[in-house]
Amino acid sequence: MTPPVSDTALTPLARLETPLRTNGFAFVPAGDMEQLLAQYGLCGWASFAASWNRLGLDRYMADGGRYRRRRHATFAIDTGGIQRKKHQPHYQSRDYNELNGGIERWFRAMEPEIGTHPALLAILRLMHRIVTDMSDPAHLPDVWHTEVHQFRIEALDNAPGQPTPEGLHRDGVDWVMVVMIRRENVMSGETTIHDLQRSPVGGFMLDQPLDTAVVNDNRVYHGVTAVRPLDPARPAYRDVLVVTFRHQ
C-alpha cells in the first residue's frame, strides 16, 4: 500500500487546495502564503499595509457601532488580466446579512495606488488561480466579479470590536479569501467554520501578517469572535483584506 503523502511533502498550493477541495475551507500560514504570492509579484508590503491607516468610517452599521473602518473596490478578472470597475455600492441581501443587508452601501473607494499595488495584484492573481483550479471547467465563468474590502476593526475596553457583527454567515458569493494585515494590541478574533447545518467543523486564528483563510461560500459558514484590547490605554485594532469571487 502506498503511504499517504504528508503535508510537508506537498507544495504550498497543494497544501491550500487539498483541504479546500475536501472540507470547503483552508487555513494558509503566513510562510506558505508568502511563497505563493512571491510567484505572482508580491512586493511593497509595508506601503500596502500602511494604507489601512487611511480608511473611512463604516456608517451603515445597524447595531449603531462605530468600530469598523473600510474601503471597497470591484474588479473584473479573467484569463486576460485584472480590470478595476467603476466605483459601485456593496450589496448583500438580507438572506445573507440580516444585520446590514438589503440596502446599497457606498463605502469610501480604495485608493488608486492601492488598487494597482503589486501586493494586491499578487493576491488577486493567486485567488484567480485557486478558484480556477477549484471550479468545474464546464461551469467556469468567462469573467469573475471580484470585490475587495479593506477592514479595520477597532476595540475599546468597554466596547469590543466585532469583525463579523452579523454573526455566523455566508457572503452570498462563490469564494472568499481573508488575509491578515495586522493585529495591534488585541486578543481573540478566532475564525470559526461551520457546515451548512451550522455544526462546527473547524477554527483557527489569523495572527501573523499574511495568515490567510480561503472558504467555499457555497459549502460553509464562517464567523469571527470579537476582539478586545490587551492594554486599554493603547489603540487596539485588527486589519484584514477580504476578497470575494463570484460568477459575473
Side-chain angles (χ1 to χ4, degrees):
M1 178 182 294
T2 303
V5 178
S6 69
D7 284 349
T8 56
L10 299 173
T11 66
L13 185 61
R15 286 198 293 271
L16 186 164
E17 291 187 345
T18 298
L20 183 59
R21 182 176 287 108
T22 302
N23 304 319
F25 70 95
F27 166 71
V28 190
D32 277 3
M33 193 65 175
E34 187 171 9
Q35 287 185 54
L36 289 166
L37 291 175
Q39 302 173 41
Y40 292 93
L42 174 68
C43 65
W45 181 259
S47 63
F48 182 62
S51 69
W52 266 255
N53 294 323
R54 302 188 297 272
L55 307 186
L57 182 67
D58 184 342
R59 300 181 183 276
Y60 293 92
M61 298 299 296
D63 64 358
R66 292 294 181 267
Y67 52 80
R68 185 157 77 177
R69 298 181 179 276
R70 66 195 294 177
R71 285 184 185 265
H72 174 243
T74 58
F75 296 84
I77 301 181
D78 59 20
T79 55
I82 300 168
Q83 181 177 355
R84 186 166 181 176
K85 295 184 177 183
K86 182 179 179 181
H87 191 52
Q88 58 187 263
H90 175 57
Y91 180 84
Q92 290 174 295
S93 76
R94 292 185 63 84
D95 292 336
Y96 291 101
N97 190 330
E98 293 183 3
L99 178 67
N100 296 317
I103 61 170
E104 292 186 344
R105 290 181 283 166
W106 287 92
F107 301 116
R108 186 174 295 186
M110 178 177 282
E111 296 167 314
E113 63 271 24
I114 301 304
T116 58
H117 196 286
L120 178 65
L121 296 181
I123 290 168
L124 295 179
R125 291 177 186 127
L126 172 60
M127 187 61 169
H128 183 249
R129 165 67 187 273
I130 294 166
V131 302
T132 299
D133 288 351
M134 293 292 104
S135 298
D136 179 351
H139 298 98
L140 191 65
D142 293 332
V143 181
W144 292 95
H145 174 75
T146 300
E147 297 197 36
V148 177
H149 306 261
Q150 295 174 277
F151 285 105
R152 169 167 288 182
I153 304 299
E154 299 172 331
L156 300 173
D157 191 31
N158 60 349
Q162 301 286 346
T164 55
E166 65 273 37
L168 192 66
H169 68 285
R170 292 159 62 206
D171 285 341
V173 295
D174 292 302
W175 303 94
V176 182
M177 174 182 278
V178 183
V179 182
M180 173 55 63
I181 304 299
R182 182 180 181 183
R183 289 171 57 97
E184 179 65 26
N185 186 38
V186 292
M187 66 178 84
S188 194
E190 181 184 5
T191 298
T192 61
I193 307 293
H194 291 64
D195 64 21
L196 295 181
Q197 288 71 49
R198 296 180 177 259
S199 297
V201 293
F204 44 83
M205 182 77 76
L206 299 182
D207 183 42
Q208 299 301 313
L210 285 176
D211 279 352
T212 297
V214 184
V215 303
N216 181 334
D217 197 55
N218 295 301
R219 290 181 58 187
V220 296
Y221 288 85
H222 63 281
V224 182
T225 60
V227 293
R228 294 173 171 80
L230 290 165
D231 179 356
R234 296 194 295 115
Y237 52 86
R238 178 182 187 267
D239 291 350
V240 299
L241 178 76
V242 175
V243 178
T244 66
F245 273 59
R246 67 170 172 83
H247 286 60
Q248 181 164 291

